[in-house]
C-alpha cells in the first residue's frame, strides 16, 4: 500500500464543499509544481495520480444511491470526471507538462464554484453555476459537419 501523501497545508473548515475545494486547489498546486523546470517525472506522475484519485472519489460519490445531487448534476460531474480521466491518462503516457493546463483549469473552476458564497442581497436566489472554460490555447472548433461548437459543461453543486 502506498503511503498517504503529506500536505503542506490542511483544510481549515469542516464544510464538505470547502474540503472538496481545498482538495482540488491542492491537486492544482501539485500539478503546477510538478510542471516547473526542471521536470521531475516521479513528482509529475505522483501529482497526476493524486488528481486522478480525487476525481475517482467524485465519480464514485455520484453513483451512490444516497447521493443528494439531482440527476443533471450527477451526469455533469460524471462526464467531467471522464474528461479528467482521459486527460490524466494522456499526460501519464506522454508526461507533457505543457498540456497540464486543462486539468489545472478544470480543478480551479470547480473549486471556485464550490467556494462561491452568495452575498446577502442574493441569498434567496441560487448561485450561478461555474463554467468549465476551455484552456486559452484551444479555441472552439466547428464540427466537420458544420454543427456549431459544443458548449462547456455547466456544473452546479
Amino acid at each position: 500500500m502506498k503511503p498517504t501523501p503529506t500536505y503542506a497545508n490542511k483544510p481549515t473548515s469542516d464544510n464538505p464543499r470547502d474540503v472538496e475545494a481545498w482538495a482540488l486547489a491542492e491537486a492544482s498546486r501539485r500539478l503546477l509544481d510538478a510542471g516547473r523546470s526542471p521536470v521531475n517525472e516521479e513528482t509529475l506522475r505522483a501529482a497526476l495520480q493524486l488528481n486522478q484519485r480525487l476525481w475517482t472519489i467524485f465519480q464514485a460519490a455520484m453513483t451512490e444511491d444516497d447521493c443528494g445531487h439531482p440527476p443533471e448534476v450527477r451526469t455533469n460531474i460524471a462526464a467531467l470526471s471522464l474528461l479528467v480521466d482521459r486527460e490524466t491518462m494522456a499526460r501519464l503516457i506522454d508526461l507533457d507538462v505543457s498540456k497540464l493546463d486543462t486539468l489545472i483549469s478544470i480543478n480551479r473552476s470547480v473549486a471556485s464554484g464550490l467556494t462561491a458564497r452568495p452575498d446577502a442581497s442574493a441569498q434567496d436566489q441560487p448561485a450561478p453555476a461555474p463554467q468549465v472554460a476551455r484552456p486559452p490555447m484551444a479555441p472552439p472548433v466547428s464540427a466537420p459537419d458544420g454543427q456549431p461548437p459544443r458548449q462547456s459543461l455547466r456544473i452546479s453543486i
Side-chain angles (χ1 to χ4, degrees):
M1 177 181 243
K2 289 185 179 182
T4 303
T6 57
Y7 298 100
N9 58 24
K10 298 195 182 205
T12 57
S13 170
D14 290 334
N15 180 326
R17 290 173 61 108
D18 292 340
V19 173
E20 291 167 355
W22 171 85
L24 287 162
E26 178 69 14
S28 294
R29 183 191 64 77
R30 288 181 184 219
L31 288 169
L32 281 168
D33 287 349
R36 293 197 175 112
S37 293
V39 175
N40 178 324
E41 289 184 5
E42 184 178 328
T43 303
L44 178 56
R45 278 192 180 92
L48 287 163
Q49 290 167 346
L50 175 70
N51 194 62
Q52 186 174 32
R53 281 194 302 269
L54 177 61
W55 278 94
T56 300
I57 291 168
F58 294 155
Q59 204 171 33
M62 294 301 106
T63 64
E64 295 293 325
D65 292 334
D66 62 349
C67 177
H69 298 299
E72 180 182 296
V73 171
R74 293 168 77 158
T75 300
N76 285 345
I77 293 173
L80 189 57
S81 67
L82 290 174
L83 171 76
V84 169
D85 282 347
R86 279 193 307 268
E87 194 66 26
T88 300
M89 293 310 286
R91 296 302 68 82
L92 282 166
I93 292 168
D94 65 20
L95 296 177
D96 187 346
V97 295
S98 70
K99 297 178 181 175
L100 292 175
D101 289 345
T102 301
L103 293 171
I104 294 167
S105 176
I106 290 170
N107 286 357
R108 286 179 168 175
S109 294
V110 175
S112 174
L114 287 168
T115 58
R117 302 283 192 252
D119 32 321
S121 64
Q123 283 187 1
D124 294 333
Q125 300 174 358
Q131 294 186 13
V132 178
R134 292 177 181 226
M137 63 193 159
V141 178
S142 293
D145 59 2
Q147 295 290 326
R150 296 187 327 181
Q151 294 184 358
S152 298
L153 291 173
R154 293 179 189 216
I155 299 176
S156 63
I157 298 177

